[in-house]
Amino acid sequence: MHSQENQAGVFSQSEYTSATALSTAANYIMNRAEPFIHTYRAYIRLRGNGSLTLKFWHSNAVDSTWDMGLEAKASEPGGEWSIEAAYIADGGPEPDGTVLPGTQVPVTFWGEAAKQVAPGETFWSDEAVLMLPEGHYLAFTWTIRTAAPGKTFPYNVEGMLVSAYDAPGNYAGQESNAAFSVSDKLLVLPSYIGYKKKVAKRLVLLGDSITQGVRTAKDEYSYWAARIADGLGTGYGLWNLGSGWGRAYDAATDGSWLDKAKQGDEVLIVLGVNDLDIGKRSAAGLLADLTHIVSLIREANPEAGIILGTVPPFNFEGEREAAWRSVNAQILAAPPAGVSRVFDIAAVLSMPAPLDYRVRPEYMSNTDDPHPNGTAGKAVADAFLEWYT
């Protein structure tokens, strides 16, 4: 692994681990007809409190394909843009768009407040120290300026899992919420929010919206990834790379998304729903992609533990149900070479056979949406923790 001080921005966690169970994956890219300057503020529950030494890493690339890729594709590099200013602050116990007076700490980049970002660039911030009381949110605020019309910076466009605000203009240093509006499907954050902490193991979760936690309640961290993080405790790191619309064939391209996953001591892969659904992949095609993903992680990190999840149920019917059954039967009976263990997440979420292709009604976000809700998040986390530990 390269040193974290490498100016090229090569990812290495070194003394740091992920500070939150919130996914910071990017599945979309800003595309405007005119250049602009805009400020983004998000409230994040961290896994630690007290005096925290924080550091941020960013990859200026889209992680996974949105929909069919008309607007954003996996590994598509971001364009040219700049960070005008960035701050961390004590966001207080209520994420209302304000920060507590006098708590803002500048985030700098090699000693500079501003940072020009090149297409596809990866980079680290400097260390920043913040005192964050228990029960308070981290507020991360930055002002971004685009250099030209067209595609610029990647972000996450799925349903909001945390409170976030945005404002036209440069308001990064402002403590109040004046000029800010509630963000709608617009989460603009660094790719990695780390804090200085030694951990026994760094667990990376590579998945789609089900891993991300889409459709669960805002600011509640009730999705299974967050509940697993709570159950494991802060002696474990957990980096959530769940990305709405993400699919195995995105990760199999060996781009920015999989590069992040390769950094884990252990990687939990829960992919396949979107491959079978919108991607219309065959069982053989999905299994080939999963096999390739495992081989790429194993090649990059021979010591990594690789946990492969079965494909969650998503109320598939017909050919898609048949493919879903075929893939899961193969994963359970003879997983790809290099897989250390298999976690049967489908068994937790499924109705009893022969209706096991359907999500249990009490676990669905609503009667029409099979995305797992917070109740399902608890069931999956409880099952995983019992199985894992």
Side-chain angles (χ1 to χ4, degrees):
M1 300 289 281
H2 295 266
S3 167
Q4 204 168 289
E5 302 306 319
N6 190 321
Q7 292 196 41
V10 173
F11 190 93
S12 172
Q13 296 175 88
S14 185
E15 298 178 291
Y16 284 77
T17 192
S18 174
T20 181
L22 173 72
S23 174
T24 52
N27 57 16
Y28 213 70
I29 190 166
M30 186 61 65
N31 189 354
R32 295 281 180 85
E34 300 290 339
F36 66 92
I37 182 169
H38 209 89
T39 302
Y40 304 91
R41 174 172 288 171
Y43 291 79
I44 306 156
R45 183 192 297 172
L46 297 190
R47 301 191 66 209
N49 54 69
S51 179
L52 301 174
T53 302
L54 296 158
K55 199 166 186 178
F56 306 89
W57 177 84
H58 194 60
S59 170
N60 185 24
V62 177
D63 290 315
S64 67
T65 300
W66 177 258
D67 198 355
M68 291 304 293
L70 182 63
E71 292 294 333
K73 293 183 179 180
S75 304
E76 179 179 358
E80 292 185 11
W81 48 281
S82 63
I83 301 168
E84 299 290 288
Y87 292 88
I88 53 174
D90 182 346
E94 298 294 334
D96 60 2
T98 68
V99 301
L100 295 190
T103 66
Q104 283 201 307
V105 176
V107 176
T108 59
F109 307 89
W110 297 100
E112 301 293 333
K115 169 80 174 77
Q116 295 289 328
V117 181
E121 181 182 2
T122 61
F123 59 93
W124 282 96
S125 76
D126 300 323
E127 288 185 346
V129 178
L130 177 71
M131 178 61 69
L132 192 67
E134 186 173 357
H136 285 211
Y137 289 93
L138 170 75
F140 183 89
T141 312
W142 55 353
T143 296
I144 290 175
R145 181 189 296 273
T146 62
K151 293 184 176 183
T152 50
F153 56 89
Y155 68 98
N156 196 286
V157 74
E158 267 287 8
M160 301 300 287
L161 291 173
V162 297
S163 292
Y165 299 79
D166 61 275
N170 188 341
Y171 292 96
Q174 180 177 284
E175 295 176 338
S176 77
N177 58 10
F180 282 90
S181 300
V182 175
S183 300
D184 180 30
K185 297 183 178 180
L186 184 66
L187 187 61
V188 186
L189 281 172
S191 302
Y192 177 82
I193 299 169
Y195 71 136
K196 186 176 284 187
K197 182 174 177 58
K198 292 291 187 182
V199 292
K201 186 178 290 184
R202 294 181 175 90
L203 178 62
V204 172
L205 275 52
L206 180 66
D208 52 33
S209 57
I210 294 173
T211 303
Q212 185 180 347
V214 168
R215 308 289 187 271
T216 59
K218 183 187 289 187
D219 297 318
E220 286 194 7
Y221 293 77
S222 60
Y223 43 94
W224 58 265
R227 291 182 185 273
I228 286 172
D230 289 343
L232 290 174
T234 57
Y236 285 75
L238 187 141
W239 191 9
N240 185 353
L241 297 179
S243 186
W245 285 113
R247 53 213 84 173
Y249 63 74
D250 286 338
T253 61
D254 200 17
S256 57
W257 199 26
L258 192 63
D259 281 344
K260 297 174 183 179
K262 291 175 183 177
Q263 308 306 316
D265 301 319
E266 196 162 50
V267 184
L268 169 59
I269 304 166
V270 183
L271 288 168
V273 166
N274 294 313
D275 297 77
L276 297 176
D277 190 12
I278 191 170
K280 299 181 180 179
R281 296 286 277 177
S282 66
L286 173 54
L287 286 166
D289 287 334
L290 291 171
T291 300
H292 189 48
I293 291 167
V294 171
S295 70
L296 290 168
I297 295 172
R298 181 68 65 208
E299 180 182 351
N301 187 355
E303 303 302 316
I306 301 177
I307 302 170
L308 181 60
T310 50
V311 181
F314 213 69
N315 297 357
F316 293 131
E317 295 180 345
E319 291 182 356
R320 292 175 183 175
E321 178 198 341
W324 174 82
R325 291 187 182 280
S326 177
V327 169
N328 280 350
Q330 180 68 27
I331 288 174
L332 290 169
V339 170
S340 308
R341 305 169 73 186
V342 171
F343 174 59
D344 194 1
I345 186 173
V348 182
L349 296 171
S350 290
M351 292 180 64
L355 299 178
D356 47 336
Y357 64 95
R358 297 192 64 85
V359 180
R360 290 177 180 267
E362 66 270 26
Y363 290 164
M364 288 175 54
S365 296
N366 59 56
T367 55
D368 299 317
D369 190 342
H371 279 91
N373 57 23
T375 302
K378 183 179 187 306
V380 171
D382 288 348
F384 179 86
L385 292 166
E386 182 179 358
W387 170 86
Y388 183 76
T389 56

Short mmCIF file of all heavy atoms in Angstrom, two decimals, residues 107-161:
data_model
loop_
_atom_site.label_atom_id
_atom_site.label_comp_id
_atom_site.label_asym_id
_atom_site.label_seq_id
_atom_site.Cartn_x
_atom_site.Cartn_y
_atom_site.Cartn_z
N VAL A 107 -11.23 22.78 6.14
CA VAL A 107 -10.61 21.61 5.53
C VAL A 107 -9.69 22.11 4.43
O VAL A 107 -10.14 22.84 3.53
CB VAL A 107 -11.67 20.66 4.95
CG1 VAL A 107 -11.01 19.48 4.23
CG2 VAL A 107 -12.60 20.16 6.06
N THR A 108 -8.43 21.75 4.50
CA THR A 108 -7.46 22.25 3.54
C THR A 108 -6.85 21.10 2.74
O THR A 108 -6.98 19.93 3.09
CB THR A 108 -6.33 23.05 4.24
OG1 THR A 108 -5.68 22.18 5.20
CG2 THR A 108 -6.90 24.26 4.97
N PHE A 109 -6.17 21.48 1.66
CA PHE A 109 -5.58 20.52 0.73
C PHE A 109 -4.14 20.96 0.47
O PHE A 109 -3.91 21.96 -0.21
CB PHE A 109 -6.40 20.47 -0.56
CG PHE A 109 -7.87 20.22 -0.29
CD1 PHE A 109 -8.73 21.28 -0.07
CD2 PHE A 109 -8.36 18.93 -0.22
CE1 PHE A 109 -10.07 21.06 0.20
CE2 PHE A 109 -9.70 18.70 0.06
CZ PHE A 109 -10.55 19.76 0.27
N TRP A 110 -3.22 20.24 1.12
CA TRP A 110 -1.81 20.62 1.08
C TRP A 110 -1.62 22.08 1.50
O TRP A 110 -0.90 22.85 0.88
CB TRP A 110 -1.20 20.34 -0.30
CG TRP A 110 -1.24 18.86 -0.57
CD1 TRP A 110 -2.15 18.19 -1.34
CD2 TRP A 110 -0.39 17.87 -0.01
NE1 TRP A 110 -1.91 16.85 -1.29
CE2 TRP A 110 -0.84 16.61 -0.48
CE3 TRP A 110 0.70 17.91 0.85
CZ2 TRP A 110 -0.23 15.41 -0.12
CZ3 TRP A 110 1.32 16.72 1.21
CH2 TRP A 110 0.85 15.49 0.72
N GLY A 111 -2.35 22.43 2.58
CA GLY A 111 -2.23 23.74 3.19
C GLY A 111 -3.05 24.84 2.54
O GLY A 111 -3.07 25.97 3.03
N GLU A 112 -3.73 24.52 1.47
CA GLU A 112 -4.50 25.52 0.74
C GLU A 112 -6.00 25.32 0.97
O GLU A 112 -6.48 24.19 1.00
CB GLU A 112 -4.20 25.44 -0.76
CG GLU A 112 -2.75 25.65 -1.12
CD GLU A 112 -2.27 27.08 -0.85
OE1 GLU A 112 -3.12 28.00 -0.88
OE2 GLU A 112 -1.07 27.25 -0.58
N ALA A 113 -6.72 26.43 1.07
CA ALA A 113 -8.16 26.35 1.28
C ALA A 113 -8.89 25.93 0.02
O ALA A 113 -9.96 25.30 0.10
CB ALA A 113 -8.70 27.71 1.76
N ALA A 114 -8.35 26.27 -1.13
CA ALA A 114 -8.99 25.95 -2.41
C ALA A 114 -8.25 24.79 -3.08
O ALA A 114 -7.08 24.53 -2.81
CB ALA A 114 -8.99 27.16 -3.33
N LYS A 115 -8.97 24.09 -3.96
CA LYS A 115 -8.39 22.95 -4.65
C LYS A 115 -8.98 22.84 -6.05
O LYS A 115 -10.19 22.74 -6.22
CB LYS A 115 -8.69 21.66 -3.87
CG LYS A 115 -8.37 20.36 -4.59
CD LYS A 115 -6.89 20.04 -4.53
CE LYS A 115 -6.56 18.68 -5.12
NZ LYS A 115 -6.54 18.65 -6.59
N GLN A 116 -8.12 22.87 -7.05
CA GLN A 116 -8.54 22.59 -8.42
C GLN A 116 -8.59 21.07 -8.60
O GLN A 116 -7.66 20.36 -8.22
CB GLN A 116 -7.54 23.19 -9.41
CG GLN A 116 -7.48 24.71 -9.39
CD GLN A 116 -8.72 25.35 -9.97
OE1 GLN A 116 -9.34 24.82 -10.88
NE2 GLN A 116 -9.09 26.52 -9.44
N VAL A 117 -9.67 20.59 -9.18
CA VAL A 117 -9.85 19.15 -9.33
C VAL A 117 -9.87 18.81 -10.82
O VAL A 117 -10.66 19.37 -11.60
CB VAL A 117 -11.16 18.69 -8.67
CG1 VAL A 117 -11.32 17.18 -8.82
CG2 VAL A 117 -11.18 19.08 -7.20
N ALA A 118 -9.00 17.89 -11.21
CA ALA A 118 -8.87 17.50 -12.61
C ALA A 118 -9.80 16.32 -12.91
O ALA A 118 -10.21 15.58 -12.00
CB ALA A 118 -7.43 17.12 -12.91
N PRO A 119 -10.14 16.10 -14.17
CA PRO A 119 -10.99 14.96 -14.53
C PRO A 119 -10.41 13.64 -14.03
O PRO A 119 -9.23 13.34 -14.26
CB PRO A 119 -11.02 15.02 -16.06
CG PRO A 119 -10.82 16.47 -16.38
CD PRO A 119 -9.85 16.96 -15.34
N GLY A 120 -11.22 12.88 -13.31
CA GLY A 120 -10.79 11.58 -12.82
C GLY A 120 -9.80 11.60 -11.68
O GLY A 120 -9.34 10.54 -11.24
N GLU A 121 -9.45 12.76 -11.15
CA GLU A 121 -8.42 12.87 -10.12
C GLU A 121 -8.88 12.24 -8.80
O GLU A 121 -10.07 12.27 -8.46
CB GLU A 121 -8.08 14.34 -9.88
CG GLU A 121 -6.99 14.56 -8.84
CD GLU A 121 -6.69 16.03 -8.58
OE1 GLU A 121 -7.34 16.90 -9.19
OE2 GLU A 121 -5.78 16.31 -7.76
N THR A 122 -7.93 11.69 -8.05
CA THR A 122 -8.16 11.29 -6.67
C THR A 122 -7.22 12.09 -5.78
O THR A 122 -6.09 12.38 -6.17
CB THR A 122 -7.93 9.78 -6.44
OG1 THR A 122 -6.57 9.46 -6.76
CG2 THR A 122 -8.88 8.96 -7.31
N PHE A 123 -7.69 12.46 -4.59
CA PHE A 123 -6.86 13.31 -3.72
C PHE A 123 -7.31 13.21 -2.28
O PHE A 123 -8.46 12.86 -1.99
CB PHE A 123 -6.91 14.77 -4.19
CG PHE A 123 -8.29 15.38 -4.21
CD1 PHE A 123 -8.78 16.09 -3.13
CD2 PHE A 123 -9.09 15.25 -5.33
CE1 PHE A 123 -10.05 16.64 -3.15
CE2 PHE A 123 -10.36 15.82 -5.37
CZ PHE A 123 -10.84 16.51 -4.28
N TRP A 124 -6.38 13.53 -1.38
CA TRP A 124 -6.64 13.59 0.06
C TRP A 124 -6.72 15.04 0.52
O TRP A 124 -6.08 15.93 -0.05
CB TRP A 124 -5.51 12.92 0.83
CG TRP A 124 -5.55 11.42 0.85
CD1 TRP A 124 -4.87 10.57 0.02
CD2 TRP A 124 -6.27 10.59 1.75
NE1 TRP A 124 -5.15 9.27 0.35
CE2 TRP A 124 -6.00 9.25 1.41
CE3 TRP A 124 -7.14 10.86 2.83
CZ2 TRP A 124 -6.55 8.17 2.10
CZ3 TRP A 124 -7.70 9.79 3.51
CH2 TRP A 124 -7.41 8.47 3.15
N SER A 125 -7.45 15.25 1.60
CA SER A 125 -7.37 16.51 2.33
C SER A 125 -6.25 16.41 3.37
O SER A 125 -5.67 15.33 3.58
CB SER A 125 -8.69 16.81 3.04
OG SER A 125 -8.83 15.99 4.20
N ASP A 126 -5.97 17.52 4.02
CA ASP A 126 -5.12 17.50 5.20
C ASP A 126 -5.94 17.02 6.40
O ASP A 126 -7.18 16.94 6.34
CB ASP A 126 -4.58 18.91 5.50
CG ASP A 126 -3.76 19.46 4.35
OD1 ASP A 126 -3.03 18.68 3.70
OD2 ASP A 126 -3.86 20.68 4.09
N GLU A 127 -5.26 16.73 7.50
CA GLU A 127 -5.97 16.40 8.73
C GLU A 127 -6.72 17.63 9.25
O GLU A 127 -6.27 18.76 9.11
CB GLU A 127 -5.00 15.94 9.81
CG GLU A 127 -4.42 14.56 9.58
CD GLU A 127 -3.56 14.10 10.74
OE1 GLU A 127 -3.21 14.94 11.61
OE2 GLU A 127 -3.24 12.90 10.80
N ALA A 128 -7.84 17.37 9.88
CA ALA A 128 -8.61 18.43 10.54
C ALA A 128 -9.14 17.87 11.85
O ALA A 128 -9.65 16.75 11.88
CB ALA A 128 -9.75 18.91 9.66
N VAL A 129 -9.02 18.63 12.92
CA VAL A 129 -9.42 18.16 14.25
C VAL A 129 -10.69 18.88 14.68
O VAL A 129 -10.79 20.12 14.58
CB VAL A 129 -8.30 18.39 15.29
CG1 VAL A 129 -8.75 17.95 16.68
CG2 VAL A 129 -7.03 17.64 14.87
N LEU A 130 -11.67 18.10 15.14
CA LEU A 130 -12.96 18.65 15.54
C LEU A 130 -13.40 18.00 16.85
O LEU A 130 -13.28 16.79 17.01
CB LEU A 130 -14.02 18.39 14.46
CG LEU A 130 -15.45 18.86 14.76
CD1 LEU A 130 -15.53 20.38 14.73
CD2 LEU A 130 -16.43 18.24 13.79
N MET A 131 -13.94 18.82 17.75
CA MET A 131 -14.56 18.30 18.97
C MET A 131 -16.04 18.09 18.69
O MET A 131 -16.75 19.05 18.36
CB MET A 131 -14.36 19.27 20.13
CG MET A 131 -15.02 18.82 21.43
SD MET A 131 -14.39 17.24 22.07
CE MET A 131 -12.73 17.75 22.56
N LEU A 132 -16.50 16.84 18.78
CA LEU A 132 -17.88 16.53 18.46
C LEU A 132 -18.52 15.80 19.63
O LEU A 132 -18.21 14.64 19.90
CB LEU A 132 -17.95 15.66 17.20
CG LEU A 132 -19.32 15.49 16.56
CD1 LEU A 132 -19.82 16.81 15.99
CD2 LEU A 132 -19.29 14.43 15.47
N PRO A 133 -19.42 16.46 20.35
CA PRO A 133 -20.07 15.81 21.50
C PRO A 133 -20.93 14.62 21.07
O PRO A 133 -21.41 14.55 19.94
CB PRO A 133 -20.95 16.93 22.09
CG PRO A 133 -20.38 18.19 21.56
CD PRO A 133 -19.84 17.86 20.22
N GLU A 134 -21.15 13.71 21.99
CA GLU A 134 -22.00 12.56 21.72
C GLU A 134 -23.40 13.02 21.36
O GLU A 134 -23.95 13.95 21.97
CB GLU A 134 -22.04 11.65 22.95
CG GLU A 134 -22.78 10.35 22.71
CD GLU A 134 -22.69 9.40 23.88
OE1 GLU A 134 -21.99 9.73 24.86
OE2 GLU A 134 -23.31 8.32 23.81
N GLY A 135 -23.97 12.40 20.32
CA GLY A 135 -25.32 12.75 19.90
C GLY A 135 -25.39 13.91 18.93
O GLY A 135 -26.48 14.26 18.47
N HIS A 136 -24.25 14.51 18.59
CA HIS A 136 -24.23 15.62 17.65
C HIS A 136 -23.79 15.12 16.27
O HIS A 136 -23.03 14.17 16.15
CB HIS A 136 -23.27 16.72 18.12
CG HIS A 136 -23.82 17.53 19.24
ND1 HIS A 136 -23.52 18.85 19.43
CD2 HIS A 136 -24.68 17.21 20.25
CE1 HIS A 136 -24.14 19.31 20.50
NE2 HIS A 136 -24.85 18.33 21.02
N TYR A 137 -24.27 15.79 15.24
CA TYR A 137 -23.92 15.46 13.86
C TYR A 137 -22.66 16.20 13.42
O TYR A 137 -22.44 17.36 13.81
CB TYR A 137 -25.05 15.85 12.91
CG TYR A 137 -26.30 15.02 13.00
CD1 TYR A 137 -27.35 15.40 13.83
CD2 TYR A 137 -26.43 13.85 12.26
CE1 TYR A 137 -28.50 14.64 13.92
CE2 TYR A 137 -27.59 13.07 12.34
CZ TYR A 137 -28.61 13.48 13.17
OH TYR A 137 -29.75 12.72 13.26
N LEU A 138 -21.87 15.55 12.58
CA LEU A 138 -20.85 16.26 11.82
C LEU A 138 -21.55 17.01 10.70
O LEU A 138 -22.36 16.43 9.96
CB LEU A 138 -19.85 15.28 11.22
CG LEU A 138 -18.87 15.90 10.20
CD1 LEU A 138 -17.80 16.71 10.91
CD2 LEU A 138 -18.24 14.83 9.32
N ALA A 139 -21.26 18.28 10.56
CA ALA A 139 -21.73 19.05 9.40
C ALA A 139 -20.54 19.24 8.46
O ALA A 139 -19.52 19.82 8.85
CB ALA A 139 -22.28 20.40 9.84
N PHE A 140 -20.68 18.75 7.25
CA PHE A 140 -19.65 18.94 6.23
C PHE A 140 -20.20 19.90 5.18
O PHE A 140 -21.26 19.66 4.60
CB PHE A 140 -19.26 17.62 5.56
CG PHE A 140 -18.16 17.78 4.55
CD1 PHE A 140 -16.83 17.67 4.92
CD2 PHE A 140 -18.45 18.07 3.22
CE1 PHE A 140 -15.81 17.85 3.98
CE2 PHE A 140 -17.44 18.24 2.28
CZ PHE A 140 -16.11 18.14 2.66
N THR A 141 -19.48 21.00 4.96
CA THR A 141 -19.92 22.03 4.02
C THR A 141 -18.80 22.35 3.06
O THR A 141 -17.65 22.54 3.49
CB THR A 141 -20.33 23.32 4.76
OG1 THR A 141 -21.19 23.01 5.87
CG2 THR A 141 -21.04 24.29 3.84
N TRP A 142 -19.13 22.40 1.77
CA TRP A 142 -18.13 22.87 0.81
C TRP A 142 -18.81 23.63 -0.32
O TRP A 142 -19.96 23.39 -0.65
CB TRP A 142 -17.23 21.75 0.29
CG TRP A 142 -17.88 20.54 -0.33
CD1 TRP A 142 -19.20 20.22 -0.40
CD2 TRP A 142 -17.19 19.46 -0.96
NE1 TRP A 142 -19.39 19.02 -1.02
CE2 TRP A 142 -18.17 18.52 -1.38
CE3 TRP A 142 -15.85 19.19 -1.21
CZ2 TRP A 142 -17.84 17.34 -2.05
CZ3 TRP A 142 -15.53 18.02 -1.86
CH2 TRP A 142 -16.50 17.11 -2.27
N THR A 143 -18.06 24.57 -0.85
CA THR A 143 -18.51 25.34 -2.00
C THR A 143 -17.74 24.86 -3.22
O THR A 143 -16.50 24.79 -3.21
CB THR A 143 -18.29 26.84 -1.80
OG1 THR A 143 -19.12 27.27 -0.70
CG2 THR A 143 -18.67 27.63 -3.04
N ILE A 144 -18.48 24.54 -4.27
CA ILE A 144 -17.90 24.01 -5.50
C ILE A 144 -18.17 24.96 -6.66
O ILE A 144 -19.29 25.46 -6.81
CB ILE A 144 -18.47 22.61 -5.80
CG1 ILE A 144 -17.95 21.60 -4.76
CG2 ILE A 144 -18.12 22.15 -7.23
CD1 ILE A 144 -18.56 20.22 -4.88
N ARG A 145 -17.14 25.21 -7.45
CA ARG A 145 -17.27 26.04 -8.64
C ARG A 145 -16.97 25.19 -9.87
O ARG A 145 -15.97 24.47 -9.90
CB ARG A 145 -16.30 27.22 -8.59
CG ARG A 145 -16.39 28.15 -9.82
CD ARG A 145 -15.27 29.18 -9.84
NE ARG A 145 -15.36 30.09 -8.72
CZ ARG A 145 -16.07 31.23 -8.71
NH1 ARG A 145 -16.77 31.56 -9.79
NH2 ARG A 145 -16.07 32.01 -7.66
N THR A 146 -17.85 25.23 -10.84
CA THR A 146 -17.59 24.49 -12.07
C THR A 146 -16.89 25.40 -13.08
O THR A 146 -17.10 26.61 -13.10
CB THR A 146 -18.89 23.95 -12.67
OG1 THR A 146 -19.76 25.03 -13.01
CG2 THR A 146 -19.59 23.03 -11.68
N ALA A 147 -16.06 24.80 -13.90
CA ALA A 147 -15.21 25.59 -14.80
C ALA A 147 -15.88 25.84 -16.15
O ALA A 147 -15.52 26.79 -16.86
CB ALA A 147 -13.88 24.87 -15.02
N ALA A 148 -16.84 24.99 -16.51
CA ALA A 148 -17.42 25.08 -17.85
C ALA A 148 -18.79 24.41 -17.83
O ALA A 148 -19.14 23.71 -16.88
CB ALA A 148 -16.50 24.40 -18.86
N PRO A 149 -19.58 24.61 -18.86
CA PRO A 149 -20.84 23.87 -18.96
C PRO A 149 -20.59 22.38 -19.11
O PRO A 149 -19.47 21.93 -19.39
CB PRO A 149 -21.48 24.44 -20.24
CG PRO A 149 -20.76 25.70 -20.52
CD PRO A 149 -19.38 25.53 -19.99
N GLY A 150 -21.66 21.59 -18.94
CA GLY A 150 -21.55 20.16 -19.15
C GLY A 150 -21.33 19.40 -17.85
O GLY A 150 -21.59 19.89 -16.75
N LYS A 151 -20.81 18.18 -18.00
CA LYS A 151 -20.63 17.30 -16.85
C LYS A 151 -19.44 17.72 -16.00
O LYS A 151 -18.37 18.01 -16.54
CB LYS A 151 -20.46 15.86 -17.33
CG LYS A 151 -21.72 15.28 -17.98
CD LYS A 151 -21.54 13.82 -18.34
CE LYS A 151 -22.84 13.24 -18.90
NZ LYS A 151 -22.72 11.79 -19.19
N THR A 152 -19.64 17.72 -14.68
CA THR A 152 -18.57 18.16 -13.79
C THR A 152 -18.35 17.18 -12.64
O THR A 152 -17.63 16.21 -12.80
CB THR A 152 -18.86 19.58 -13.26
OG1 THR A 152 -20.21 19.62 -12.73
CG2 THR A 152 -18.72 20.60 -14.37
N PHE A 153 -19.01 17.37 -11.49
CA PHE A 153 -18.68 16.55 -10.33
C PHE A 153 -19.70 15.44 -10.08
O PHE A 153 -20.89 15.62 -10.24
CB PHE A 153 -18.51 17.41 -9.07
CG PHE A 153 -19.70 18.26 -8.73
CD1 PHE A 153 -20.73 17.78 -7.92
CD2 PHE A 153 -19.77 19.58 -9.19
CE1 PHE A 153 -21.81 18.57 -7.60
CE2 PHE A 153 -20.86 20.37 -8.85
CZ PHE A 153 -21.88 19.87 -8.06
N PRO A 154 -19.23 14.25 -9.68
CA PRO A 154 -20.11 13.14 -9.36
C PRO A 154 -20.79 13.35 -8.01
O PRO A 154 -20.24 14.01 -7.11
CB PRO A 154 -19.17 11.93 -9.31
CG PRO A 154 -17.89 12.39 -9.93
CD PRO A 154 -17.82 13.85 -9.66
N TYR A 155 -21.96 12.76 -7.85
CA TYR A 155 -22.67 12.82 -6.57
C TYR A 155 -23.67 11.69 -6.51
O TYR A 155 -23.77 10.88 -7.44
CB TYR A 155 -23.34 14.18 -6.38
CG TYR A 155 -24.50 14.48 -7.32
CD1 TYR A 155 -25.82 14.29 -6.91
CD2 TYR A 155 -24.27 14.97 -8.61
CE1 TYR A 155 -26.87 14.58 -7.76
CE2 TYR A 155 -25.32 15.26 -9.47
CZ TYR A 155 -26.62 15.05 -9.03
OH TYR A 155 -27.67 15.34 -9.87
N ASN A 156 -24.41 11.59 -5.40
CA ASN A 156 -25.43 10.55 -5.27
C ASN A 156 -26.81 11.16 -5.40
O ASN A 156 -27.13 12.13 -4.71
CB ASN A 156 -25.30 9.81 -3.94
CG ASN A 156 -26.08 8.51 -3.95
OD1 ASN A 156 -27.30 8.50 -3.88
ND2 ASN A 156 -25.37 7.39 -4.08
N VAL A 157 -27.62 10.59 -6.28
CA VAL A 157 -28.92 11.18 -6.61
C VAL A 157 -30.08 10.35 -6.04
O VAL A 157 -31.23 10.68 -6.28
CB VAL A 157 -29.06 11.33 -8.14
CG1 VAL A 157 -29.30 9.97 -8.81
CG2 VAL A 157 -30.15 12.31 -8.53
N GLU A 158 -29.79 9.30 -5.28
CA GLU A 158 -30.87 8.48 -4.72
C GLU A 158 -31.61 9.22 -3.61
O GLU A 158 -31.23 10.31 -3.20
CB GLU A 158 -30.30 7.17 -4.18
CG GLU A 158 -30.33 6.05 -5.20
CD GLU A 158 -31.74 5.50 -5.47
OE1 GLU A 158 -32.73 6.09 -4.98
OE2 GLU A 158 -31.85 4.50 -6.18
N GLY A 159 -32.68 8.59 -3.11
CA GLY A 159 -33.46 9.19 -2.03
C GLY A 159 -32.59 9.53 -0.84
O GLY A 159 -31.69 8.78 -0.49
N MET A 160 -32.88 10.66 -0.22
CA MET A 160 -32.00 11.18 0.83
C MET A 160 -32.09 10.35 2.10
O MET A 160 -33.16 10.15 2.67
CB MET A 160 -32.35 12.63 1.13
CG MET A 160 -32.25 13.55 -0.07
SD MET A 160 -30.60 13.63 -0.80
CE MET A 160 -29.76 14.61 0.44
N LEU A 161 -30.94 9.87 2.58
CA LEU A 161 -30.86 9.13 3.83
C LEU A 161 -30.40 10.00 4.98
O LEU A 161 -30.49 9.61 6.14
CB LEU A 161 -29.92 7.94 3.67
CG LEU A 161 -30.45 6.82 2.76
CD1 LEU A 161 -29.39 5.77 2.53
CD2 LEU A 161 -31.69 6.19 3.36
#
